[in-house]
Amino acid sequence: MSDSKRPRPQPTPETQHYWDGTRDGEFRLQRCDDCAKAYFPPRPFCPACGGRQVSVFKASGKGRLYSYVIHHRPAPGFTPPYAIAVVELEEGPRLMSNIVECPQTPEALVLDMALEVVFEKLDEQISLPVFRPAQGAVA
Amino acid sequence: MKPGSIAIVGAAETTRLGSIPDMSNIQLHADAALNALADCGLKPSDIDGVACAGETPVAIAHYLGITPRWVDGTAVGGCSFMLHVRHAAAAIAAGYCNTVLITHGEAGKSGIGLNRPPPNRTSLVGQFELPYGVYGPPSMFTIPVLRYMKTYGMTEAELAMVSVVQREWAGRNPRAAFRDPISVDDVLNSRMIAYPFRLLQCCLVTDGGGALILTSAERAKDFLTKPVYILGTGESVETPMISQMADFTSSRAFRVAGPEAFKAAGISHGDVDHLMIYDAFAHLPIYGLEDLGFVGRGEAAAFIGARHTAPGGKLPMNTNGGGLSYTHTGMYGMFALQESVRQMRGTAPAQIEGAKISVCHGVGGMFAASGTIVFTNQR
């Protein structure tokens, strides 16, 4: 699906832990120590209550297919048609991703299907979290 | 701002719309501004407040030879001009300025002198959305709709009806880019862009612009143009990331801006004679009708399907043909405002006879921002 033209994220001090995690094969989220809410995207405070006491934790990497489009136009680093999806994680937050190991069709991409994270290495620094149908689940 | 205390006295679009390869982005602003000034018999030196998006107020004031004592460069996408109207009305009411010029110009098709910064790889969008192959609004704005369809059972044919009805309005507007009637099958058989969206469910890409001139309702009496009064306004923002929209079936920014404008205007839905809902893509009128409270949750597609927003319906909507068929430069909100003003002046090509209240609702970015204006021609 991807090639060298795929846009590369550039980590900032606030997001470095996330990209360090994906590089090492670990999907990390943050949680507020005060209100216990897990959140995304990364930042050093809780977007629900404003608290600065937050912890990074290893998330389950499990989620469900929340919504998507199947893009039919060319984009740098992608061969159409390909799905641009939003995954709702078991811990609550949602994130954009791609769905791999699955035909990029409306018939195969069923809303609420169970997904699990895998990592797509772009270079030595960046691995992207993408999702595949959960092993053993009926797609 | 007291309801009805501020009025639009000047309004115009660029002389041409569509493909304008002989004008740059800033000249499209100026072309619209000069037309709006001519509309109400003013000169640039009569303007003491400037608001715009796509160019800075500095660039526009200098280019037009204006010395402002109030400026607003709010740039939150295509509804920026609704926010400018709101801010300008407050500024005039506060005495910060007397006569405000709001401009839009965008070389969306020809691209000459276009000010669009490249994506920033350190931004949240750059880190968490761009790597997944989003490429322009058709690949992003559309993402929530499958969740809406599953939640409420809306079909692809129902979504296609939005484009069909708006083309009927465009057929009544000589300035509309696309005027030939289309069917649901035409929409569903048009080229797939981003499933479930086909080409005919995506807005045009054009060059053009528009401008508005606002002053106090008291002063508006001295102009030859029919004043269009501002009854109520609302604005809000939600998120720059479509993936982080809290509810994929509803826009929080819509739910804040719309009711705020209705409350300030002191109107209810039954008072509305004419409605504009920014339609960059076919699902936006669906979300707008529900989030503004014209219909209940999940009812908008059936409402449009029953022809209530079509010519002859009880709630005429997007009567210029909308961004889907009239024109769409990139920040379409100015054209929605222009159509509301024409309807309130009684000069629209598809004029709603006797219309007294027009609601104009805009979206910015990909459900990132919103602005709502309630207009009337009564005082």
Side-chain angles (χ1 to χ4, degrees), chain A residues 18-131:
Chain A
Y18 177 87
W19 295 114
D20 286 349
T22 59
R23 182 197 58 207
D24 297 340
E26 184 172 294
F27 186 68
R28 296 170 182 169
L29 287 174
Q30 286 169 301
R31 183 188 289 128
C32 177
D33 292 348
D34 292 327
C35 74
K37 190 175 162 62
Y39 63 86
F40 180 88
R43 74 204 85 169
F45 59 90
C46 171
C49 74
R52 287 178 181 266
Q53 299 301 316
V54 298
S55 303
V56 174
F57 68 100
K58 181 184 176 185
S60 68
K62 296 183 192 312
R64 63 181 180 124
L65 180 58
Y66 193 70
S67 204
Y68 67 91
V69 293
I70 301 173
H71 200 221
H72 283 250
R73 300 199 305 168
F78 288 82
T79 306
Y82 62 94
I84 305 166
V86 171
V87 177
E88 185 167 271
L89 299 167
E90 199 173 64
E91 293 82 359
R94 299 187 197 121
L95 80 165
M96 187 174 282
S97 195
N98 297 127
I99 310 301
V100 299
E101 301 176 33
C102 180
Q104 306 291 291
T105 64
E107 293 72 30
L109 295 162
V110 178
L111 289 203
D112 298 314
M113 66 194 279
L115 301 169
E116 63 187 19
V117 72
V118 288
F119 299 98
E120 187 157 324
K121 184 175 179 177
L122 298 188
D123 57 33
E124 291 307 314
Q125 299 305 317
I126 297 293
S127 289
L128 282 181
V130 296
F131 288 78

Side-chain angles (χ1 to χ4, degrees), chain B residues 15 17 40 55 80 113 159 194 199 205 216 291 305 308 310 337 339 349 365 368:
Chain B
T15 304
L17 292 175
C40 60
E55 296 283 347
S80 298
L159 183 58
L199 182 67
V205 179
S216 67
D291 286 337
H308 292 310
L337 290 164
E339 176 65 8

Side-chain angles (χ1 to χ4, degrees), chain A residues 6 15 19 67 82 112 129, chain B residues 127 131-133 143 147 150 244:
Chain A
R6 186 173 185 146
T15 65
W19 295 114
S67 204
Y82 62 94
D112 298 314
Chain B
Q127 291 189 65
Y132 296 107
I143 289 175
R147 176 53 56 180
K150 174 157 184 177
Q244 300 306 308

